[in-house]
Amino acid sequence: MHAKAPIIGVVGRKSSGKTTVIESIVQELTKRGYRVATAKHVNQKGFSMDIKGKDTWRHSAAGANPVVSVSDVETAILMKDGAQRFSLDRLLSFTPETDIIVLEGFSWLVLNDERVGKIFCIRNREEYEDLRKKAKGEIIAFCSAQPMGKPVLRINEDSTILVERTLRYITRKHKISKILSRLPGLNCGKCGHPTCEEMAATIYRRKAKLNDCTPLKLRSKLKTRITVNDAEVPLQPFVSEIIRNSVLGMVSTLKGVPISGKEEIQIKIFSQTPRF
């Protein structure tokens, strides 16, 4: 299982300071060598980065999707999909070489997704109480442009504290992702956790060990190995034996190939890079 970039969501009403918070976080993270991607939800119906009548607009109008625009200073990918098809998994697929992703807005995605670390920009105590009750997962901080007292940070005055909390969250998520990459990704639940991601977080907290993962314990006993582009495919014992017996059964029909039935099977699958 490949490690995923930590996602941080900065959520708040209009003019609550979200962009200011993102600027301070991104500046500090890039200064420290992190590769940061950002995504902003534009809450304006019908908004487009494209301009009607321009060549790229004409490409889209003709049916092209996406349209890629390349100049001497930037590359832009215009996809005519909109928010209805946007998801965090899709965003992660767009940014495979990114260390951290920072979202501005997207409250409908961020609030209930436990994978996202949340920074809430609030304007009053009512918003604080409401978001504190609704949000699922980890809240990195509440912050405001107005003084509200603890635990709410001031956006400008407490930017250093906000960045430190964000860095701690990112460091922890990266360590959990490394543990997750060593787990099989089957989400079998045999360890007592519904997902491998939750198991990885428990191992990080030192309340479990890698060897508590049943498929990992059984891996050394399996007689089937499958790799796709050098990445091993996790197998359950039952599936492993079905594949092994099937392959041995087919090979045993070949002339001059002695098969006893006790052999181990290694299957390697590679994707060829197309040549143009």
Side-chain angles (χ1 to χ4, degrees):
M1 179 177 291
H2 298 292
K4 293 181 178 180
I7 302 174
I8 296 168
V10 181
V11 176
R13 302 276 186 179
K14 187 176 181 180
S15 301
S16 60
K18 298 188 298 297
T19 304
T20 300
V21 166
I22 288 174
E23 282 179 324
S24 62
I25 291 173
V26 171
Q27 285 174 359
E28 188 60 35
L29 291 176
T30 53
K31 190 187 301 182
R32 291 170 183 253
Y34 288 106
R35 296 168 297 182
V36 184
T38 64
K40 175 180 172 58
H41 177 230
V42 179
N43 195 20
Q44 179 182 333
K45 196 169 181 63
F47 175 85
S48 174
M49 297 291 290
D50 212 355
I51 300 174
K52 186 174 181 178
K54 292 293 185 179
D55 291 346
T56 50
W57 180 90
R58 292 171 63 186
H59 290 189
S60 294
N65 189 24
V67 174
V68 181
S69 172
V70 183
S71 77
D72 62 329
V73 294
E74 67 181 18
T75 299
I77 302 175
L78 304 172
M79 303 184 70
K80 299 298 182 180
D81 292 333
Q84 69 274 10
R85 289 197 58 196
F86 183 83
S87 69
L88 295 182
D89 287 331
R90 196 174 190 206
L91 177 61
L92 286 166
S93 72
F94 293 157
T95 54
E97 297 180 358
T98 298
D99 297 317
I100 300 140
I101 298 173
V102 182
L103 308 177
E104 180 174 343
F106 302 99
S107 59
W108 80 92
L109 284 176
V110 170
L111 276 177
N112 295 317
D113 198 314
E114 296 187 0
R115 295 174 295 175
V116 181
K118 298 156 184 61
I119 298 174
F120 291 122
C121 298
I122 58 174
R123 299 172 300 178
N124 51 57
R125 279 282 169 178
E126 288 74 18
E127 290 182 4
Y128 167 77
E129 293 296 340
D130 182 54
L131 290 167
R132 187 174 63 85
K133 293 174 183 176
K134 286 182 178 178
K136 294 181 180 179
E138 184 169 348
I139 299 175
I140 297 171
F142 285 95
C143 55
S144 176
Q146 307 299 325
M148 291 190 191
K150 294 182 179 180
V152 181
L153 302 177
R154 294 288 300 276
I155 287 176
N156 292 317
E157 290 82 348
D158 296 326
S159 61
T160 300
I161 298 173
L162 182 58
V163 168
E164 288 174 355
R165 289 188 186 181
T166 303
L167 284 167
R168 285 199 298 269
Y169 174 81
I170 291 168
T171 300
R172 183 168 66 256
K173 293 295 284 187
H174 275 145
K175 288 180 178 179
I176 291 172
S177 288
K178 286 183 179 179
I179 296 170
L180 181 61
S181 68
R182 298 176 64 186
L183 293 172
L186 294 171
N187 296 330
C188 63
K190 292 183 178 179
C191 61
H193 299 278
T195 66
C196 288
E197 192 162 355
E198 289 192 27
M199 178 60 168
T202 304
I203 294 172
Y204 171 78
R205 295 194 297 269
R206 298 186 179 180
K207 293 184 178 181
K209 298 179 180 178
L210 276 172
N211 203 40
D212 293 332
C213 171
T214 301
L216 280 185
K217 283 191 288 189
L218 294 173
R219 180 180 286 175
S220 61
K221 300 178 182 178
L222 298 180
K223 292 186 176 182
T224 305
R225 291 280 190 276
I226 300 177
T227 58
V228 178
N229 296 327
D230 293 326
E232 185 172 341
V233 178
L235 297 174
Q236 296 277 22
F238 178 70
V239 176
S240 171
E241 280 304 290
I242 288 178
I243 295 172
R244 190 177 76 89
N245 291 332
S246 298
V247 171
L248 291 179
M250 289 186 290
V251 174
S252 67
T253 64
L254 300 176
K255 187 176 180 179
V257 180
I259 295 293
S260 69
K262 298 180 180 180
E263 292 83 357
E264 295 186 1
I265 296 294
Q266 292 187 14
I267 300 173
K268 294 185 179 182
I269 302 172
F270 296 95
S271 299
Q272 285 190 334
T273 304
R275 296 180 180 179
F276 298 98

Short mmCIF file of all heavy atoms in Angstrom, two decimals, residues 7-10 88 103 109-111 113-118 136-140 169 173:
data_model
loop_
_atom_site.label_atom_id
_atom_site.label_comp_id
_atom_site.label_asym_id
_atom_site.label_seq_id
_atom_site.Cartn_x
_atom_site.Cartn_y
_atom_site.Cartn_z
N ILE A 7 -3.49 15.42 4.43
CA ILE A 7 -4.38 16.46 3.92
C ILE A 7 -4.80 17.35 5.08
O ILE A 7 -5.22 16.86 6.13
CB ILE A 7 -5.62 15.86 3.25
CG1 ILE A 7 -5.22 14.93 2.11
CG2 ILE A 7 -6.53 16.97 2.72
CD1 ILE A 7 -6.38 14.18 1.48
N ILE A 8 -4.69 18.65 4.87
CA ILE A 8 -5.10 19.63 5.88
C ILE A 8 -6.20 20.49 5.27
O ILE A 8 -6.04 21.03 4.17
CB ILE A 8 -3.92 20.51 6.33
CG1 ILE A 8 -2.86 19.64 7.01
CG2 ILE A 8 -4.38 21.63 7.26
CD1 ILE A 8 -1.55 20.35 7.23
N GLY A 9 -7.31 20.59 5.95
CA GLY A 9 -8.42 21.40 5.47
C GLY A 9 -8.59 22.66 6.29
O GLY A 9 -8.70 22.59 7.52
N VAL A 10 -8.57 23.81 5.63
CA VAL A 10 -8.79 25.10 6.30
C VAL A 10 -10.20 25.55 5.94
O VAL A 10 -10.49 25.84 4.77
CB VAL A 10 -7.74 26.15 5.87
CG1 VAL A 10 -7.98 27.47 6.60
CG2 VAL A 10 -6.32 25.63 6.14
N LEU A 88 -11.54 13.55 -2.41
CA LEU A 88 -10.17 13.58 -1.90
C LEU A 88 -9.30 12.53 -2.60
O LEU A 88 -8.13 12.78 -2.88
CB LEU A 88 -10.18 13.34 -0.39
CG LEU A 88 -10.86 14.42 0.45
CD1 LEU A 88 -10.75 14.09 1.93
CD2 LEU A 88 -10.25 15.80 0.18
N LEU A 103 -6.26 22.22 1.72
CA LEU A 103 -7.53 22.60 1.11
C LEU A 103 -8.03 23.91 1.70
O LEU A 103 -7.91 24.14 2.91
CB LEU A 103 -8.59 21.53 1.36
CG LEU A 103 -8.26 20.08 1.00
CD1 LEU A 103 -9.42 19.17 1.39
CD2 LEU A 103 -7.95 19.95 -0.48
N LEU A 109 -16.71 18.16 2.42
CA LEU A 109 -15.78 17.04 2.40
C LEU A 109 -14.99 16.93 3.70
O LEU A 109 -14.79 15.84 4.22
CB LEU A 109 -14.79 17.19 1.24
CG LEU A 109 -15.27 16.89 -0.17
CD1 LEU A 109 -14.15 17.21 -1.16
CD2 LEU A 109 -15.67 15.44 -0.31
N VAL A 110 -14.57 18.07 4.21
CA VAL A 110 -13.62 18.09 5.32
C VAL A 110 -14.26 17.70 6.65
O VAL A 110 -13.68 16.94 7.44
CB VAL A 110 -12.98 19.49 5.42
CG1 VAL A 110 -12.17 19.64 6.70
CG2 VAL A 110 -12.10 19.75 4.20
N LEU A 111 -15.46 18.21 6.95
CA LEU A 111 -16.04 18.06 8.27
C LEU A 111 -16.15 16.60 8.71
O LEU A 111 -15.86 16.28 9.87
CB LEU A 111 -17.43 18.71 8.32
CG LEU A 111 -17.46 20.21 8.59
CD1 LEU A 111 -18.88 20.73 8.53
CD2 LEU A 111 -16.85 20.54 9.95
N ASP A 113 -14.70 13.83 7.28
CA ASP A 113 -13.64 12.91 6.84
C ASP A 113 -12.51 12.89 7.87
O ASP A 113 -11.82 13.89 8.07
CB ASP A 113 -13.09 13.34 5.47
CG ASP A 113 -12.33 12.22 4.79
OD1 ASP A 113 -11.50 11.57 5.46
OD2 ASP A 113 -12.55 11.98 3.59
N GLU A 114 -12.34 11.75 8.50
CA GLU A 114 -11.34 11.64 9.56
C GLU A 114 -9.91 11.65 9.04
O GLU A 114 -8.96 11.76 9.82
CB GLU A 114 -11.60 10.38 10.39
CG GLU A 114 -12.95 10.43 11.12
CD GLU A 114 -13.14 9.26 12.07
OE1 GLU A 114 -12.22 8.42 12.16
OE2 GLU A 114 -14.20 9.19 12.71
N ARG A 115 -9.74 11.51 7.72
CA ARG A 115 -8.39 11.55 7.15
C ARG A 115 -7.82 12.96 7.12
O ARG A 115 -6.61 13.14 6.95
CB ARG A 115 -8.40 11.00 5.73
CG ARG A 115 -8.77 9.54 5.59
CD ARG A 115 -8.88 9.15 4.13
NE ARG A 115 -9.98 9.84 3.48
CZ ARG A 115 -10.25 9.75 2.18
NH1 ARG A 115 -9.46 9.04 1.39
NH2 ARG A 115 -11.27 10.40 1.66
N VAL A 116 -8.67 13.96 7.27
CA VAL A 116 -8.26 15.36 7.09
C VAL A 116 -8.03 16.02 8.44
O VAL A 116 -8.91 16.01 9.31
CB VAL A 116 -9.33 16.14 6.30
CG1 VAL A 116 -8.89 17.59 6.09
CG2 VAL A 116 -9.62 15.46 4.96
N GLY A 117 -6.86 16.63 8.61
CA GLY A 117 -6.60 17.47 9.77
C GLY A 117 -7.25 18.83 9.55
O GLY A 117 -7.11 19.42 8.48
N LYS A 118 -7.96 19.32 10.55
CA LYS A 118 -8.82 20.48 10.33
C LYS A 118 -8.31 21.73 11.07
O LYS A 118 -7.95 21.67 12.23
CB LYS A 118 -10.24 20.16 10.80
CG LYS A 118 -10.86 19.00 10.01
CD LYS A 118 -11.95 18.32 10.80
CE LYS A 118 -12.50 17.12 10.05
NZ LYS A 118 -11.50 16.07 9.79
N LYS A 136 -15.47 15.53 12.63
CA LYS A 136 -14.95 14.20 12.91
C LYS A 136 -13.47 14.17 12.60
O LYS A 136 -13.02 14.77 11.63
CB LYS A 136 -15.68 13.15 12.08
CG LYS A 136 -17.16 12.99 12.43
CD LYS A 136 -17.81 11.91 11.58
CE LYS A 136 -19.29 11.76 11.94
NZ LYS A 136 -19.94 10.71 11.10
N GLY A 137 -12.71 13.46 13.41
CA GLY A 137 -11.28 13.41 13.19
C GLY A 137 -10.56 14.49 13.98
O GLY A 137 -11.13 15.14 14.86
N GLU A 138 -9.30 14.69 13.64
CA GLU A 138 -8.44 15.59 14.43
C GLU A 138 -8.61 17.05 14.03
O GLU A 138 -8.59 17.40 12.85
CB GLU A 138 -6.98 15.19 14.27
CG GLU A 138 -6.04 16.01 15.13
CD GLU A 138 -4.65 15.45 15.18
OE1 GLU A 138 -4.44 14.30 14.73
OE2 GLU A 138 -3.75 16.16 15.69
N ILE A 139 -8.77 17.89 15.04
CA ILE A 139 -8.79 19.34 14.84
C ILE A 139 -7.42 19.88 15.23
O ILE A 139 -7.01 19.77 16.39
CB ILE A 139 -9.90 20.01 15.67
CG1 ILE A 139 -11.28 19.47 15.26
CG2 ILE A 139 -9.84 21.53 15.51
CD1 ILE A 139 -12.43 19.98 16.13
N ILE A 140 -6.72 20.43 14.27
CA ILE A 140 -5.39 20.99 14.54
C ILE A 140 -5.52 22.27 15.36
O ILE A 140 -4.78 22.49 16.33
CB ILE A 140 -4.64 21.26 13.23
CG1 ILE A 140 -4.40 19.93 12.48
CG2 ILE A 140 -3.31 21.97 13.47
CD1 ILE A 140 -3.84 20.11 11.07
N TYR A 169 1.31 17.61 13.30
CA TYR A 169 0.29 16.77 12.67
C TYR A 169 0.88 16.08 11.44
O TYR A 169 0.69 14.86 11.25
CB TYR A 169 -0.91 17.63 12.27
CG TYR A 169 -1.95 16.88 11.47
CD1 TYR A 169 -2.89 16.07 12.10
CD2 TYR A 169 -1.99 16.96 10.07
CE1 TYR A 169 -3.83 15.36 11.36
CE2 TYR A 169 -2.93 16.27 9.33
CZ TYR A 169 -3.85 15.47 9.99
OH TYR A 169 -4.78 14.77 9.25
N LYS A 173 1.40 12.05 10.78
CA LYS A 173 0.72 11.39 9.66
C LYS A 173 1.72 10.69 8.73
O LYS A 173 1.45 9.62 8.21
CB LYS A 173 -0.11 12.40 8.87
CG LYS A 173 -1.29 12.97 9.63
CD LYS A 173 -2.33 11.92 9.95
CE LYS A 173 -3.16 11.55 8.76
NZ LYS A 173 -4.28 10.64 9.10
#
